Amino acid sequence: MRLIAAILALTLVAIGAGALAGLHLFAAAERVADAKKSASEPPIASSYAGSARLRKLSPIVTNLAAPANNWARVEASMVTESMSDEDAGILAAHISEDIVTYLRSSSVTQFEGSRGLQHLRDDLTERANIRSSGKVRELIIETLVIQ
């Protein structure tokens, strides 16, 4: 009889401890959920200063060096420092000429795969940066179609 009473007492203590632990965990989970609801996400840090501006280039269509019957169409934008619209237009025309010159000296195999596209992007960004004396921060290739 004592054994049954002891087991019953331990069972009641275990039930009580489990209930208290459950209530404590439930309250803690509610506090965390409320904190996440009220906390706003931190703003995404931009790598560009407030003076940066995105300027779209005219679509560029040109033939490639090899094979001669392949054509490329590139739509791109450039991220520039603040400058007048007239200067930006002139700079965009010069950069478009550089892109045409680069593509005419390139072959299709240079652009194959993600690595080829990354090299193209890096080369064109470097050319635009040199052409603009550092005013172009990045050249963004929006579309590249080769047929």
Side-chain angles (χ1 to χ4, degrees):
M1 196 52 132
R2 275 191 192 182
L3 183 61
I4 294 176
I7 292 175
L8 185 61
L10 284 176
T11 302
L12 291 176
V13 169
I15 290 172
L20 282 173
L23 289 175
H24 179 68
L25 288 174
F26 184 72
E30 280 185 341
R31 282 194 306 268
V32 169
D34 289 341
K36 283 187 178 181
K37 284 181 185 176
S38 63
S40 62
E41 293 184 22
I44 298 173
S46 174
S47 60
Y48 304 112
S51 64
R53 186 164 176 211
L54 183 70
R55 300 176 193 272
K56 191 163 182 67
L57 300 175
S58 300
I60 300 164
V61 178
T62 185
N63 59 333
L64 299 175
N69 60 350
N70 281 358
W71 288 78
R73 177 189 164 107
V74 177
E75 291 182 18
S77 297
M78 61 182 183
V79 179
T80 62
E81 299 289 335
S82 60
M83 59 174 53
S84 70
D85 287 339
E86 183 178 332
D87 291 340
I90 293 170
L91 182 60
H94 286 297
I95 290 173
S96 294
E97 289 174 5
D98 286 345
I99 292 172
V100 168
T101 303
Y102 181 83
L103 291 175
R104 284 193 174 172
S105 65
S106 302
S107 65
V108 174
T109 58
Q110 289 178 287
F111 309 133
E112 289 179 348
S114 60
R115 197 170 285 230
L117 185 61
Q118 183 65 37
H119 287 304
L120 171 67
R121 183 181 165 280
D122 291 342
D123 288 345
L124 292 180
T125 297
E126 183 180 348
R127 284 175 172 255
N129 197 355
I130 291 170
R131 169 66 82 170
S132 68
S133 302
K135 292 180 182 173
V136 173
R137 295 185 185 176
E138 185 178 3
L139 190 81
I140 301 169
I141 297 174
E142 296 173 4
T143 60
L144 172 65
V145 179
I146 298 176
Q147 63 179 18

